Coordinates of all heavy atoms in Angstrom, one line a residue:
S12 N -35.5 43.2 8.2 CA -35.9 44.1 7.2 C -34.8 44.7 6.4 O -33.7 44.9 7.0 CB -36.8 45.2 7.8 OG -37.1 46.2 6.9
D13 N -35.0 44.9 5.1 CA -34.0 45.6 4.3 C -33.6 46.9 4.8 O -32.5 47.4 4.5 CB -34.6 45.8 2.9 CG -34.6 44.6 2.0 OD1 -34.2 43.5 2.5 OD2 -35.0 44.8 0.9
V14 N -34.5 47.6 5.4 CA -34.3 49.0 5.8 C -33.0 49.1 6.7 O -32.2 50.0 6.5 CB -35.5 49.5 6.6 CG1 -35.2 50.9 7.2 CG2 -36.7 49.6 5.7
Y15 N -32.8 48.1 7.6 CA -31.7 48.2 8.5 C -30.4 48.0 7.7 O -29.4 48.7 7.9 CB -31.8 47.1 9.6 CG -33.1 47.2 10.4 CD1 -34.1 46.3 10.2 CD2 -33.2 48.3 11.3 CE1 -35.3 46.5 11.0 CE2 -34.4 48.4 12.0 CZ -35.4 47.5 11.9 OH -36.6 47.7 12.6
K16 N -30.4 47.1 6.7 CA -29.2 46.9 5.8 C -29.0 48.2 5.0 O -27.8 48.6 4.8 CB -29.4 45.8 4.9 CG -29.2 44.4 5.5 CD -29.1 43.4 4.4 CE -29.2 42.0 4.9 NZ -30.6 41.5 4.9
R17 N -30.0 48.8 4.5 CA -29.9 50.0 3.7 C -29.3 51.2 4.5 O -28.6 52.0 4.0 CB -31.2 50.4 3.1 CG -31.6 49.4 2.0 CD -32.9 49.8 1.4 NE -33.3 48.8 0.3 CZ -34.5 48.8 -0.2 NH1 -35.4 49.7 0.2 NH2 -34.8 47.9 -1.1
Q18 N -29.7 51.2 5.8 CA -29.1 52.3 6.6 C -27.6 52.1 6.7 O -26.8 53.0 6.6 CB -29.7 52.2 8.1 CG -31.1 52.7 8.1 CD -31.7 52.7 9.5 OE1 -32.4 53.6 9.9 NE2 -31.5 51.6 10.3
Q19 N -27.2 50.8 7.0 CA -25.8 50.6 7.1 C -25.1 50.9 5.8 O -24.0 51.5 5.8 CB -25.6 49.1 7.5 CG -24.1 48.8 7.7 CD -23.9 47.3 8.0 OE1 -24.6 46.4 7.6 NE2 -22.9 47.0 8.9
Q20 N -25.6 50.5 4.7 CA -25.0 50.8 3.4 C -24.9 52.3 3.1 O -23.9 52.8 2.6 CB -25.8 50.1 2.2 CG -25.7 48.6 2.3 CD -26.8 47.9 1.4 OE1 -27.7 48.5 1.0 NE2 -26.6 46.6 1.2
G21 N -26.0 53.0 3.5 CA -26.0 54.5 3.3 C -24.9 55.1 4.2 O -24.3 56.0 3.7
R22 N -24.8 54.7 5.4 CA -23.8 55.2 6.3 C -22.4 55.0 5.7 O -21.6 55.9 5.7 CB -23.9 54.6 7.7 CG -22.8 55.0 8.6 CD -22.9 54.3 10.0 NE -22.8 52.8 9.9 CZ -21.7 52.1 9.8 NH1 -20.6 52.7 9.6 NH2 -21.8 50.8 9.8
M23 N -22.2 53.8 5.3 CA -20.8 53.4 4.7 C -20.6 54.2 3.4 O -19.4 54.7 3.2 CB -20.7 51.9 4.5 CG -20.8 51.2 5.9 SD -20.9 49.4 5.7 CE -19.2 48.9 5.5
A24 N -21.6 54.4 2.6 CA -21.4 55.2 1.4 C -21.1 56.6 1.7 O -20.3 57.3 1.0 CB -22.7 55.1 0.5
A25 N -21.6 57.1 2.8 CA -21.3 58.5 3.2 C -19.9 58.6 3.9 O -19.5 59.7 4.2 CB -22.4 59.0 4.2
G26 N -19.3 57.4 4.2 CA -18.0 57.4 4.8 C -18.1 57.7 6.3 O -17.1 58.1 6.9
W27 N -19.2 57.4 6.9 CA -19.4 57.6 8.3 C -19.2 56.4 9.1 O -19.6 55.3 8.7 CB -20.8 58.2 8.6 CG -21.0 59.6 8.1 CD1 -20.1 60.5 7.8 CD2 -22.3 60.1 7.7 NE1 -20.7 61.6 7.3 CE2 -22.0 61.4 7.2 CE3 -23.6 59.7 7.8 CZ2 -23.1 62.3 6.8 CZ3 -24.6 60.5 7.4 CH2 -24.4 61.8 6.9
T28 N -18.7 56.5 10.3 CA -18.6 55.4 11.2 C -19.9 55.4 12.1 O -20.7 56.3 12.0 CB -17.4 55.5 12.2 OG1 -17.6 56.7 13.0 CG2 -16.1 55.6 11.5
L29 N -20.1 54.3 12.8 CA -21.2 54.3 13.8 C -21.1 55.5 14.8 O -22.1 56.1 15.1 CB -21.3 53.0 14.5 CG -21.7 51.7 13.8 CD1 -21.4 50.5 14.6 CD2 -23.2 51.8 13.4
D30 N -19.9 55.8 15.2 CA -19.7 56.9 16.1 C -20.1 58.2 15.5 O -20.7 59.1 16.2 CB -18.2 57.0 16.5 CG -17.8 56.1 17.6 OD1 -18.6 56.0 18.6 OD2 -16.7 55.5 17.6
D31 N -19.8 58.4 14.2 CA -20.2 59.6 13.5 C -21.7 59.8 13.5 O -22.2 60.9 13.8 CB -19.8 59.6 12.0 CG -18.3 59.6 11.8 OD1 -17.6 60.1 12.7 OD2 -17.8 59.1 10.8
V32 N -22.4 58.7 13.2 CA -23.9 58.8 13.2 C -24.5 59.0 14.6 O -25.4 59.8 14.8 CB -24.5 57.5 12.6 CG1 -26.0 57.5 12.7 CG2 -24.1 57.4 11.1
A33 N -23.9 58.4 15.6 CA -24.3 58.5 17.0 C -24.2 60.0 17.4 O -25.1 60.6 18.0 CB -23.5 57.6 17.9
S34 N -23.1 60.6 17.0 CA -22.9 62.0 17.4 C -23.8 62.9 16.6 O -24.3 63.9 17.2 CB -21.4 62.4 17.4 OG -21.0 62.8 16.1
K35 N -24.0 62.7 15.3 CA -24.9 63.5 14.5 C -26.3 63.4 15.0 O -27.1 64.4 14.9 CB -24.8 63.1 13.0 CG -23.5 63.4 12.3 CD -23.5 62.9 10.9 CE -22.2 63.0 10.3 NZ -21.7 64.4 10.1
L36 N -26.8 62.3 15.5 CA -28.1 62.1 15.9 C -28.3 62.3 17.4 O -29.4 62.2 17.9 CB -28.7 60.7 15.5 CG -28.8 60.5 14.0 CD1 -29.3 59.1 13.7 CD2 -29.7 61.5 13.4
H37 N -27.2 62.5 18.1 CA -27.2 62.7 19.6 C -27.8 61.4 20.3 O -28.7 61.6 21.1 CB -27.9 64.0 20.0 CG -27.4 65.2 19.2 ND1 -26.2 65.7 19.5 CD2 -28.0 65.9 18.2 CE1 -26.0 66.8 18.7 NE2 -27.1 66.9 17.9
L38 N -27.4 60.3 19.8 CA -27.9 59.0 20.4 C -26.7 58.2 20.8 O -25.6 58.3 20.3 CB -28.7 58.2 19.3 CG -30.0 58.8 18.9 CD1 -30.6 58.0 17.7 CD2 -31.0 58.8 20.1
P39 N -26.9 57.3 21.8 CA -25.8 56.4 22.2 C -25.4 55.5 21.0 O -26.2 55.1 20.2 CB -26.5 55.5 23.3 CG -27.7 56.3 23.7 CD -28.1 57.0 22.5
L40 N -24.1 55.2 21.0 CA -23.6 54.3 20.0 C -24.3 53.0 19.9 O -24.6 52.4 18.9 CB -22.1 54.1 20.3 CG -21.3 53.1 19.3 CD1 -21.4 53.6 17.9 CD2 -19.9 52.9 19.8
A41 N -24.6 52.4 21.1 CA -25.3 51.1 21.2 C -26.7 51.2 20.4 O -27.1 50.2 19.8 CB -25.6 50.7 22.6
T42 N -27.4 52.3 20.5 CA -28.6 52.5 19.8 C -28.5 52.4 18.3 O -29.2 51.8 17.6 CB -29.3 53.8 20.3 OG1 -29.5 53.8 21.7 CG2 -30.6 54.0 19.5
I43 N -27.5 53.1 17.8 CA -27.2 53.1 16.4 C -26.8 51.7 15.9 O -27.3 51.2 14.9 CB -26.1 54.1 16.0 CG1 -26.4 55.5 16.4 CG2 -25.8 54.0 14.5 CD1 -27.7 56.1 15.9
S44 N -26.0 51.0 16.7 CA -25.6 49.6 16.4 C -26.8 48.7 16.4 O -27.0 47.9 15.5 CB -24.6 49.2 17.5 OG -24.2 47.9 17.2
D45 N -27.7 48.9 17.4 CA -28.9 48.1 17.4 C -29.8 48.4 16.2 O -30.4 47.5 15.7 CB -29.7 48.3 18.7 CG -29.0 47.7 20.0 OD1 -28.2 46.8 19.8 OD2 -29.3 48.2 21.1
L46 N -30.0 49.6 15.8 CA -30.8 50.0 14.7 C -30.3 49.3 13.4 O -31.1 48.7 12.7 CB -30.8 51.5 14.5 CG -31.7 52.4 15.3 CD1 -31.4 53.8 15.0 CD2 -33.1 52.0 15.1
E47 N -29.0 49.4 13.2 CA -28.4 48.8 12.0 C -28.6 47.3 12.0 O -28.7 46.6 10.9 CB -27.0 49.1 11.8 CG -26.8 50.5 11.3 CD -25.4 50.8 10.8 OE1 -24.5 49.9 10.7 OE2 -25.1 51.9 10.3
A48 N -28.5 46.6 13.2 CA -28.6 45.2 13.2 C -30.0 44.7 13.3 O -30.2 43.5 13.3 CB -27.8 44.7 14.5
G49 N -30.9 45.6 13.3 CA -32.4 45.3 13.4 C -32.8 44.7 14.7 O -33.8 44.0 14.8
R50 N -32.0 45.1 15.8 CA -32.4 44.6 17.1 C -33.4 45.6 17.7 O -33.1 46.2 18.8 CB -31.1 44.5 18.0 CG -30.2 43.4 17.6 CD -29.0 43.2 18.5 NE -28.1 44.4 18.6 CZ -27.0 44.5 17.9 NH1 -26.5 43.5 17.2 NH2 -26.2 45.6 18.0
S51 N -34.5 45.7 17.1 CA -35.5 46.7 17.5 C -36.0 46.4 19.0 O -36.4 47.4 19.7 CB -36.7 46.7 16.6 OG -37.2 45.4 16.4
E52 N -36.0 45.2 19.4 CA -36.5 44.9 20.8 C -35.6 45.6 21.8 O -36.1 45.7 23.0 CB -36.6 43.4 21.0 CG -35.3 42.7 21.2 CD -34.5 42.4 19.9 OE1 -35.0 42.7 18.8 OE2 -33.3 42.0 19.9
R53 N -34.4 45.9 21.5 CA -33.5 46.6 22.5 C -33.7 48.1 22.5 O -33.1 48.7 23.4 CB -32.1 46.2 22.1 CG -31.8 44.7 22.3 CD -30.4 44.3 22.1 NE -29.4 45.1 22.8 CZ -28.1 44.9 22.8 NH1 -27.6 43.9 22.1 NH2 -27.3 45.7 23.5
I54 N -34.4 48.6 21.6 CA -34.6 50.1 21.5 C -35.5 50.6 22.6 O -35.4 51.7 23.0 CB -35.1 50.5 20.1 CG1 -34.1 50.0 19.0 CG2 -35.2 52.0 20.0 CD1 -32.7 50.6 19.0
G55 N -36.6 49.9 22.9 CA -37.6 50.4 23.8 C -38.9 50.4 23.1 O -39.2 49.6 22.3
T56 N -39.7 51.4 23.4 CA -41.0 51.5 22.9 C -41.1 51.8 21.4 O -40.1 52.4 20.9 CB -41.8 52.6 23.6 OG1 -41.3 53.9 23.2 CG2 -41.9 52.5 25.1
P57 N -42.1 51.3 20.7 CA -42.2 51.5 19.3 C -42.1 53.0 18.9 O -41.6 53.3 17.8 CB -43.6 51.0 18.9 CG -43.9 49.9 20.0 CD -43.2 50.5 21.2
V58 N -42.6 53.9 19.8 CA -42.6 55.3 19.5 C -41.1 55.8 19.3 O -40.7 56.5 18.4 CB -43.3 56.2 20.6 CG1 -43.0 57.6 20.4 CG2 -44.8 55.8 20.6
Y59 N -40.3 55.3 20.3 CA -38.8 55.7 20.2 C -38.2 55.1 19.0 O -37.4 55.7 18.2 CB -38.1 55.2 21.4 CG -38.3 56.1 22.6 CD1 -38.9 55.6 23.8 CD2 -37.8 57.4 22.6 CE1 -39.1 56.4 24.9 CE2 -38.0 58.2 23.8 CZ -38.6 57.8 24.9 OH -38.8 58.6 25.9
L60 N -38.5 53.8 18.7 CA -37.9 53.1 17.6 C -38.3 53.9 16.3 O -37.4 54.1 15.5 CB -38.4 51.7 17.5 CG -38.0 50.9 16.3 CD1 -36.5 50.8 16.2 CD2 -38.6 49.5 16.3
K61 N -39.5 54.2 16.2 CA -40.0 54.9 15.0 C -39.3 56.2 14.8 O -38.8 56.6 13.7 CB -41.5 55.1 15.1 CG -42.2 55.5 13.8 CD -43.7 55.4 14.0 CE -44.4 55.6 12.6 NZ -45.8 55.3 12.7
G62 N -39.1 57.0 15.9 CA -38.4 58.3 15.8 C -37.0 58.1 15.5 O -36.4 58.9 14.7
F63 N -36.3 57.1 16.1 CA -34.9 56.9 15.8 C -34.7 56.5 14.3 O -33.8 57.0 13.7 CB -34.3 55.9 16.7 CG -34.3 56.2 18.2 CD1 -34.1 55.2 19.1 CD2 -34.4 57.5 18.6 CE1 -34.1 55.6 20.5 CE2 -34.3 57.9 20.0 CZ -34.2 56.9 20.9
L64 N -35.5 55.6 13.9 CA -35.4 55.2 12.5 C -35.6 56.3 11.5 O -34.9 56.5 10.6 CB -36.5 54.1 12.2 CG -36.1 52.7 12.6 CD1 -37.3 51.8 12.4 CD2 -34.9 52.1 11.8
R65 N -36.7 57.1 11.8 CA -37.0 58.2 10.9 C -35.8 59.2 10.9 O -35.4 59.7 9.8 CB -38.2 58.9 11.4 CG -38.6 60.1 10.5 CD -40.0 60.6 10.7 NE -41.0 59.7 10.1 CZ -42.0 59.1 10.8 NH1 -42.2 59.3 12.1 NH2 -42.8 58.3 10.2
S66 N -35.2 59.5 12.0 CA -34.1 60.4 12.1 C -32.9 59.9 11.3 O -32.2 60.7 10.6 CB -33.7 60.7 13.6 OG -34.7 61.3 14.3
Y67 N -32.6 58.6 11.5 CA -31.5 58.0 10.8 C -31.7 58.0 9.3 O -30.8 58.4 8.5 CB -31.3 56.6 11.3 CG -30.0 56.0 11.0 CD1 -29.6 54.7 11.5 CD2 -29.0 56.6 10.3 CE1 -28.4 54.1 11.2 CE2 -27.8 56.0 10.0 CZ -27.5 54.8 10.5 OH -26.3 54.2 10.2
L68 N -32.9 57.7 8.8 CA -33.2 57.7 7.4 C -33.1 59.1 6.8 O -32.5 59.3 5.8 CB -34.6 57.2 7.1 CG -34.7 55.6 7.3 CD1 -36.2 55.2 7.3 CD2 -34.0 54.9 6.3
K69 N -33.6 60.1 7.6 CA -33.5 61.5 7.2 C -32.0 61.9 7.0 O -31.7 62.6 6.1 CB -34.3 62.3 8.2 CG -34.6 63.7 7.7 CD -35.5 64.4 8.8 CE -35.9 65.8 8.4 NZ -36.8 66.4 9.3
L70 N -31.2 61.6 8.0 CA -29.8 61.9 8.0 C -29.1 61.4 6.7 O -28.3 62.1 6.1 CB -29.1 61.3 9.2 CG -27.6 61.5 9.3 CD1 -27.3 63.0 9.6 CD2 -27.0 60.7 10.4
L71 N -29.5 60.2 6.3 CA -28.9 59.6 5.1 C -29.6 59.9 3.8 O -29.3 59.5 2.8 CB -29.0 58.0 5.3 CG -28.1 57.5 6.5 CD1 -28.4 56.0 6.7 CD2 -26.6 57.7 6.2
A72 N -30.6 60.8 3.9 CA -31.4 61.2 2.8 C -32.1 60.0 2.1 O -32.2 59.9 0.9 CB -30.6 62.0 1.8
L73 N -32.6 59.1 2.9 CA -33.3 57.9 2.5 C -34.8 58.2 2.7 O -35.1 58.9 3.6 CB -32.8 56.6 3.2 CG -31.4 56.2 2.9 CD1 -31.0 55.1 3.8 CD2 -31.2 55.8 1.4
P74 N -35.7 57.5 2.0 CA -37.1 57.7 2.2 C -37.6 57.4 3.6 O -37.4 56.3 4.1 CB -37.8 56.8 1.2 CG -36.7 56.4 0.2 CD -35.4 56.5 1.0
E75 N -38.2 58.4 4.2 CA -38.7 58.2 5.6 C -39.8 57.3 5.7 O -40.1 56.7 6.8 CB -39.0 59.6 6.2 CG -37.8 60.5 6.5 CD -38.2 61.8 7.0 OE1 -38.9 61.9 8.1 OE2 -37.9 62.9 6.4
D76 N -40.5 57.1 4.6 CA -41.6 56.1 4.6 C -41.2 54.7 4.8 O -42.0 53.8 5.0 CB -42.6 56.3 3.5 CG -42.0 56.1 2.1 OD1 -40.8 55.8 2.0 OD2 -42.7 56.3 1.1
W77 N -39.9 54.5 4.7 CA -39.3 53.1 4.9 C -39.5 52.7 6.3 O -39.5 51.5 6.7 CB -37.8 53.1 4.6 CG -37.5 53.1 3.1 CD1 -38.4 53.1 2.1 CD2 -36.2 53.0 2.5 NE1 -37.7 53.1 0.9 CE2 -36.4 53.1 1.1 CE3 -34.9 52.9 3.0 CZ2 -35.3 53.0 0.2 CZ3 -33.9 52.9 2.1 CH2 -34.1 52.9 0.7
V78 N -39.7 53.7 7.2 CA -40.0 53.3 8.6 C -41.1 52.4 8.8 O -41.0 51.4 9.5 CB -40.3 54.6 9.5 CG1 -40.8 54.3 10.8 CG2 -39.0 55.5 9.5
D79 N -42.2 52.6 8.0 CA -43.4 51.8 8.1 C -43.1 50.3 7.7 O -43.5 49.4 8.4 CB -44.6 52.3 7.3 CG -45.0 53.7 7.9 OD1 -44.9 53.9 9.1 OD2 -45.4 54.6 7.1
S80 N -42.3 50.2 6.7 CA -42.0 48.8 6.2 C -41.1 48.1 7.2 O -41.1 46.9 7.4 CB -41.4 48.8 4.8 OG -40.2 49.4 4.7
A81 N -40.2 48.9 7.9 CA -39.3 48.3 8.9 C -40.0 47.8 10.1 O -39.6 46.9 10.7 CB -38.3 49.4 9.3
L82 N -41.1 48.5 10.4 CA -41.9 48.2 11.6 C -42.9 47.1 11.4 O -43.5 46.6 12.4 CB -42.5 49.4 12.2 CG -41.6 50.5 12.6 CD1 -42.3 51.7 13.1 CD2 -40.6 50.0 13.7
R83 N -43.1 46.6 10.2 CA -44.1 45.6 9.9 C -43.6 44.2 10.4 O -42.5 43.9 10.4 CB -44.4 45.5 8.4 CG -45.5 46.5 8.1 CD -46.0 46.2 6.7 NE -46.5 47.5 6.2 CZ -45.9 48.2 5.3 NH1 -44.8 47.8 4.6 NH2 -46.4 49.4 4.9

């Protein structure tokens, strides 16, 4: 999904590293890395995935409704 690429682009545009985002969202670095790479199967349940995606999009001031298109 484009959403994962857009998260990475948004993070880079903000000048943040994966570590920066992990600490801002209080999530493990591996989780942020998996989110950006679209490795959703490694995140766990869909509820967690949806929450993590929404938090990440919100942090980057990107539309939170992109979560739904990412999960299709």
Side-chain angles (χ1 to χ4, degrees):
S12 172
D13 280 2
V14 174
Y15 302 108
K16 278 193 196 95
R17 289 179 182 168
Q18 286 181 140
Q19 183 180 34
Q20 291 164 349
R22 173 182 60 78
M23 293 169 87
W27 294 335
T28 64
L29 286 169
D30 276 318
D31 293 334
V32 173
S34 86
K35 288 174 190 299
L36 294 180
H37 309 288
L38 291 172
L40 178 61
T42 300
I43 302 304
S44 182
D45 289 340
L46 280 175
E47 281 195 4
R50 291 187 295 259
S51 54
E52 72 284 351
R53 293 182 53 175
I54 303 291
T56 66
V58 172
Y59 282 114
L60 175 60
K61 196 170 189 171
F63 296 161
L64 278 171
R65 182 169 284 126
S66 296
Y67 197 177
L68 290 169
K69 194 173 184 177
L70 177 69
L71 296 170
L73 294 171
E75 289 178 56
D76 60 1
W77 285 2
V78 168
D79 297 324
S80 64
L82 297 178
R83 275 191 207 110

